[in-house]
Amino acid sequence: MKGILSSIVDGKGFDIALVALPLTFLVTLSGLPLIYNVLMSFQQVDLFSLGTFWRPFVGLKNYAELFAQPETWPIFANTAIFVVSSIVGQFLIGFGLALFFWTNFPGASWLRGLFLVSWVMPGLVVGAIWNWILSGDFGVLNFLLRESGLTNGNIFWRSDPNYSLWGVIVANIWFGTSFNMILLSVGLSAIPSDLYEAAELDGANAWQRFRTITLPMMRSSIGALMALGLIFTLQQFDLFAAITNGGPNNSSNVAQYWAWELSFRQYDFAKGATVSVIMIVFVILASIVYVRSTRHEVRR
Amino acid sequence: MRHPFREKLMLAVALVFTAIYLFPLYWMYVTALKSGSAIFASPPAFWPADPQWHIYAEVWQSRNMGRYIWNSLVIAFGAVAMISVLGVGCAYVLARYRNGWVDVTLFLILMLQVLPASLMITPIFVGFSQTGLLEYPRLAVTLAIAAKSMPFFVVLVRTAFLSVPQELEEAGLVDGDSRVGAFFRIALPLARNGIVVSALLIFMQAFGEFVYSRSIIQRAELQPASIGLNSFMGPNTNEWNGIMAYATIYVTPILVAFVLLQRGIISGLTSGALR
């Protein structure tokens, strides 16, 4: 007993205790639900069997039923459009801003930091603000588009099935651009400046310097950011809840919102779990890419 | 070689970019101050002609915001306390060793970090209902948030400990300190700033959390501010000045804290996310 105690105070026991406790907590509240999720996707779960552990197994029935539903493929297609457009938009605007602020004039780093307020705001507040900006008749975005001559009439961002998903995408691009910009700035500042000086002496113009030095040197940052972007956009839930609720008629619904809707609106917990399992497989694949692209830098 | 004119020009362009980017935030503050009829004016006024300052007190009263904010604080403080107590030691050990076990643990933690809350809520809800935790909805949400955010915290705090030189602790051990003593007296104070900044980031996340609370907390008197804002926004709402006033009260403390601690938050975030 004394041996164990002194090991906790002074030896390996101290380290093991410090790691074991949080890991137990994490496995209980994240790992077990993950496994339980897979289990539930093969079970028949309804409101009556919610409180019991033993439920009938139905094999792949949930999966078969899911893919027989007419809204399934459109929702997965929406998810792909949402993820790709959000990542591309956030990345391009974020990279442009990062390159601009990289020129390092006085005040650049402070102003650049200010952009990150979008990222620390609660998602639901961001959703509420954009809900109002995107509003059809009185929204300020429609006013600006009309006045600048880009559109003739009002776009009903939230209620027109052709635009509802894009309304959420616009809000999400705003939400995530600053995070992209900050991480890309870190990558840019790590490039040694003598590379550029040498290239300039050799007569390379700005575009050639960007293509032959900046892009290759940023490859690992960009890779990590793409994987992180995929993970973050698949986590986005609050904007859908605040702007369109997935509607009208599922035109702006995506898998991560639909999974919640199936469980908590339609009380079809088995289907909700089934959609979750499919999406989590994608997330884990993306995170393996992310971990691999960042890990070897530390090891050096 | 400095170019004063070029620098001024760049600063001016930067200010324009910042203004465009932060316009949605500005629009929230302006809309909140407009009167009920002014918000539907066409063309919209970009400056409130007749600011309605009393809207904040009205919304605070009529939406019962005190209760909502209190619940948000209880949940966020609970989650941060839980995460700090469990996560700091874990991050410390993971920063001090470099071997296969540490790699496996880090990999596991990173995997748990990426699971989207809206996809994990179904099994968590069903599990909580089976174990009876749904009877204590705020505790249940706090636990769920703690599990969701702890991996991020551990990754950030680990980089804070990585920047504390190990030699300092070894010197402490030579002077007769125990491992526990060296941890509390040497490593912890030196990593303090990184820990505080990470805890603050977690607090901001937990303060705005929505999906777990929405799914788990049914009783209105226990719901946090995000749910209160959501229930304010019906499908045919026209009280946009009230909603924006609610959003302003909810978000301004977070924004002030962020602007004051900007430097620390950004350096903590970038070193953690890329490492």
Side-chain angles (χ1 to χ4, degrees):
Chain A
M1 190 61 212
K2 204 163 174 231
I4 296 171
L5 195 70
S6 77
S7 148
I8 286 175
V9 176
D10 228 24
K12 269 219 148 22
F14 176 65
D15 297 327
I16 293 170
L18 281 185
V19 176
L21 217 62
L23 275 190
T24 315
F25 177 77
L26 272 183
V27 166
T28 315
L29 277 143
S30 287
L32 287 186
L34 190 65
I35 297 166
Y36 193 35
N37 201 357
V38 178
L39 204 66
M40 263 166 46
S41 73
F42 295 111
Q43 283 181 327
Q44 181 191 330
V45 192
D46 47 41
L47 279 178
F48 303 103
S49 63
L50 203 60
T52 56
F53 278 102
W54 302 112
R55 288 185 286 252
F57 279 88
V58 292
L60 288 168
K61 184 165 154 271
N62 290 324
Y63 288 87
E65 272 181 23
L66 185 78
F67 285 103
Q69 280 174 239
E71 66 266 39
T72 304
W73 286 111
I75 288 176
F76 279 112
N78 282 347
T79 315
I81 295 172
F82 176 73
V83 166
V84 172
S85 318
S86 297
I87 293 179
V88 169
Q90 291 172 353
F91 177 77
L92 289 182
I93 304 174
F95 204 8
L97 286 169
L99 285 170
F100 173 79
F101 277 96
W102 185 36
T103 47
N104 241 341
F105 44 91
S109 76
W110 197 83
L111 277 180
R112 187 175 55 199
L114 210 57
F115 275 66
L116 210 63
V117 297
S118 79
W119 192 75
V120 297
M121 283 166 73
L124 212 72
V125 171
V126 174
I129 297 172
W130 277 95
N131 195 340
W132 169 228
I133 290 176
L134 293 168
S135 135
D137 284 320
F138 306 104
V140 70
L141 183 63
N142 273 342
F143 170 77
L144 294 173
L145 288 175
R146 250 181 5 244
E147 287 301 299
S148 58
L150 288 170
T151 56
N152 297 321
N154 286 336
I155 296 174
F156 285 82
W157 292 98
R158 294 173 303 174
S159 53
D160 184 337
N162 295 318
Y163 290 100
S164 54
L165 184 62
W166 292 98
V168 186
I169 290 172
V170 168
N172 194 38
I173 289 176
W174 183 78
F175 204 7
T177 290
S178 56
F179 186 72
N180 276 253
M181 171 188 165
I182 295 291
L183 289 200
L184 287 167
S185 297
V186 175
L188 283 174
S189 62
I191 303 176
S193 60
D194 43 346
L195 277 180
Y196 288 101
E197 283 156 22
E200 220 167 344
L201 283 180
D202 290 343
N205 63 31
W207 166 246
Q208 284 168 331
R209 292 197 299 267
F210 177 74
R211 210 171 46 91
T212 56
I213 302 173
T214 315
L215 276 183
M217 294 293 282
M218 294 285 287
R219 227 176 53 200
S220 69
S221 295
I222 293 172
L225 203 55
M226 289 291 152
L228 265 183
L230 180 59
I231 293 163
F232 281 147
T233 45
L234 284 176
Q235 299 204 351
Q236 187 48 259
F237 177 90
D238 302 4
L239 292 180
F240 290 93
I243 299 176
T244 61
N245 276 314
N249 195 17
N250 283 328
S251 60
S252 67
N253 211 348
V254 291
Q256 67 266 32
Y257 190 78
W258 193 38
W260 177 84
E261 224 180 14
L262 285 168
S263 292
F264 293 94
R265 285 267 177 78
Q266 302 169 24
Y267 303 110
D268 193 342
F269 287 92
K271 267 280 168 59
T274 309
V275 176
S276 300
V277 169
I278 297 170
M279 293 315 289
I280 287 172
V281 170
F282 278 106
V283 175
I284 289 180
L285 288 178
S287 63
I288 290 173
V289 175
Y290 167 59
V291 171
R292 286 190 56 136
S293 66
T294 52
R295 218 88 304 251
H296 58 88
E297 282 173 51
V298 188
R299 273 291 176 90
R300 258 186 272 267
Chain B
M1 206 167 36
R2 288 170 57 90
H3 306 274
F5 174 72
R6 204 177 138 259
E7 282 182 348
K8 279 210 182 83
L9 184 74
M10 293 297 275
L11 184 61
V13 179
L15 282 170
V16 172
F17 281 158
T18 314
I20 294 173
Y21 190 76
L22 295 185
F23 176 77
L25 206 56
Y26 172 75
W27 201 236
M28 171 186 82
Y29 284 105
V30 171
T31 306
L33 289 175
K34 289 181 182 174
S35 69
S37 54
I39 53 173
F40 297 117
S42 180
F46 285 84
W47 185 254
D50 172 27
Q52 311 280 311
W53 294 103
H54 56 86
I55 181 109
Y56 297 117
E58 269 172 37
V59 167
W60 179 274
Q61 279 265 316
S62 69
R63 305 305 303 186
N64 215 342
M65 278 191 77
R67 191 188 65 200
Y68 283 127
I69 299 273
W70 168 250
N71 288 327
S72 286
L73 287 173
V74 167
I75 290 171
F77 270 117
V80 168
M82 212 175 277
I83 290 171
S84 305
V85 168
L86 289 170
V88 169
C90 183
Y92 166 74
V93 175
L94 292 179
R96 277 293 165 264
Y97 295 90
R98 199 72 250 213
N99 60 37
W101 285 106
V102 170
D103 279 351
V104 170
T105 314
L106 269 176
F107 184 75
L108 191 77
I109 286 179
L110 283 165
M111 284 298 138
L112 294 178
Q113 180 189 339
V114 301
L115 301 173
S118 65
L119 299 176
M120 290 297 286
I121 178 61
T122 302
I124 288 177
F125 181 85
V126 176
F128 280 2
S129 96
Q130 283 163 347
T131 49
L133 259 171
L134 285 188
E135 307 289 315
Y136 311 95
R138 281 190 303 191
L139 174 67
V141 169
T142 307
L143 285 171
I145 295 175
K148 164 85 189 126
S149 300
M150 193 158 75
F152 185 49
F153 179 82
V154 170
V155 171
L156 291 183
V157 173
R158 180 174 167 268
T159 55
F161 278 120
L162 280 177
S163 63
V164 176
Q166 199 157 3
E167 291 77 23
L168 289 176
E169 272 175 79
E170 278 156 12
L173 291 179
V174 170
D175 290 346
D177 217 337
S178 66
R179 286 290 314 278
V180 175
F183 171 67
F184 279 109
R185 271 188 287 276
I186 299 167
L188 204 54
L190 286 172
R192 194 187 58 203
N193 285 348
I195 297 171
V196 170
V197 164
S198 312
L200 194 82
L201 264 178
I202 300 288
F203 183 86
M204 287 173 171
Q205 277 186 359
F207 194 67
E209 196 281 331
F210 177 65
V211 59
Y212 288 139
S213 310
R214 171 80 192 273
S215 317
I216 291 176
I217 307 180
Q218 312 295 337
R219 285 165 57 196
E221 64 267 29
L222 297 178
Q223 286 169 341
S226 54
I227 313 285
L229 179 59
N230 190 238
S231 58
F232 200 170
M233 296 191 293
N236 298 312
T237 183
N238 49 20
E239 285 178 89
W240 283 103
N241 51 344
I243 293 172
M244 291 300 123
Y246 188 116
T248 299
I249 299 173
Y250 186 16
V251 87
T252 301
I254 299 179
L255 297 184
V256 170
F258 171 77
V259 172
L260 290 178
L261 301 166
Q262 204 203 56
R263 203 162 279 274
I265 290 177
I266 290 171
S267 68
L269 187 69
T270 50
S271 63
L274 290 177
R275 209 144 285 178

